[in-house]
Amino acid sequence: MSDSLALILGEDPLAGLATVLLYVNLAAALAVLAILPLRAPLRRLIGPAGAYQLWWLPVIAAALAGVLFLTIEPEYRLTAPAPGPALLWTWAAGAALMASAFGLAQARFGRELRQGLSGPAVVGLISPRIVMPADDGRYSEVERELIRAHERQHIARKDTRAVAFLALVRCLFWFNPLLHLAAGFLRLDQEIACDAAVVNARPAARALYARALLKTQLAATPLPLGCYWPARGAHPLEIRLGLLKRGRLAISGRAQGSLAGPVDAIRP
């Protein structure tokens, strides 16, 4: 086993592994920096669903960086020093704290769900399901159906798996601030893509959908391992309502069919 590791990672496997992770983080960070200024222009050019797919680039860049490092002969690699015990314990402590924070937030959501206070959201990785807040008269029946159409988009796109993978990456690489920055923008782009699918399916419901969005934003609850309508701060809400108001979520022709994804019909 040690000979195999030495063949792949070099004479000091721990140093080789640390170097791979360093390169992977650097590649992912550079990809995030490249994506941030492209999101809005591409959203207008190819639609929100296409712009959301940009977030595959950090994954691809990280994978290519790792493969590139491993294909270089060990004697020609620029290898970082092996991390000492103190650095390893610091990394483990940071990962554990991040995982604990996510676990506590998830547990809080579960408690509120049992009390009928959580939602709308999609939860579950293998068999995702839609959870809705109690029918307290806040939404009309049409608004509730619009919300369900939004959540069905998350299920169709397997978004809960994407955010679970994102949470795992943030735990492992908690020291990379750009990954945490990317997480907020990725979730926002995810929600905008689902917004677009709903309003493209029923353009006449744009104003009604914006009203439901506003009501839900004010009641949203953080959900680390699931899809929800984030409400922490006015910025995401302003962006989503602004796009609805200006009609920038609509895309036409072949682009709509190829990028928007399947949309369940919304009954009047």
Side-chain angles (χ1 to χ4, degrees):
M1 182 66 178
S2 60
D3 291 341
S4 300
L5 285 175
L7 182 63
I8 297 173
L9 297 174
E11 294 183 0
D12 189 341
L14 191 57
L17 180 60
T19 307
V20 171
L21 295 179
L22 179 64
Y23 288 176
V24 162
N25 271 272
L26 180 60
L30 291 175
V32 168
L33 289 175
I35 288 171
L36 292 179
L38 295 176
R39 294 166 53 249
L42 283 180
R43 191 183 298 144
R44 292 190 293 268
L45 182 63
I46 62 175
Y52 173 53
Q53 297 303 315
L54 281 175
W55 291 108
W56 278 106
L57 290 180
V59 178
I60 295 171
L64 289 177
V67 170
L68 180 62
F69 175 82
L70 295 176
T71 55
I72 299 173
E73 293 295 330
E75 58 268 25
Y76 299 116
R77 295 173 184 165
L78 296 175
T79 306
L87 188 57
L88 289 175
W89 279 111
T90 300
W91 169 81
L97 286 173
M98 182 68 68
S100 298
F102 287 159
L104 289 173
Q106 193 77 13
R108 178 190 171 195
F109 179 87
R111 287 194 301 270
E112 294 184 356
L113 178 61
R114 290 188 292 272
Q115 297 169 2
L117 302 176
S118 294
V122 175
V123 298
L125 300 181
I126 298 175
S127 299
R129 67 186 189 279
I130 298 172
V131 294
M132 295 286 291
D135 191 357
D136 56 3
R138 183 190 315 159
Y139 306 105
S140 69
E141 183 54 38
V142 177
E143 288 173 336
R144 292 180 73 86
E145 184 56 32
L146 287 168
I147 293 169
R148 286 192 288 268
H150 175 103
E151 303 302 343
R152 285 194 291 269
Q153 281 298 307
H154 283 305
I155 294 175
R157 300 172 194 270
K158 298 179 174 57
D159 285 342
T160 57
R161 299 179 187 179
V163 296
F165 175 74
L166 177 63
L168 175 62
V169 170
R170 292 178 69 189
C171 288
L172 294 176
F173 304 123
W174 57 266
F175 51 85
N176 189 336
L178 282 173
L179 292 182
H180 303 300
L181 176 67
F185 286 112
L186 182 149
R187 278 187 175 266
L188 176 59
D189 289 346
Q190 190 179 76
E191 296 302 320
I192 291 173
C194 292
D195 292 342
V198 175
V199 299
N200 281 324
R202 190 174 178 178
R206 186 182 302 274
L208 190 63
Y209 184 75
R211 188 188 310 159
L213 178 66
L214 179 60
K215 293 177 183 179
T216 305
Q217 284 283 347
L218 296 176
T221 299
L223 177 61
L225 301 180
C227 300
Y228 70 107
W229 297 23
R232 290 297 180 261
H235 182 54
L237 177 59
E238 290 173 356
I239 291 176
R240 293 173 70 185
L241 289 177
L243 291 172
L244 284 168
K245 182 178 180 181
R246 293 190 296 271
R248 290 186 178 179
L249 292 184
I251 53 178
S252 59
R254 186 167 52 187
Q256 179 173 336
S258 61
L259 295 177
V263 181
D264 292 332
I266 303 171
R267 296 185 298 275

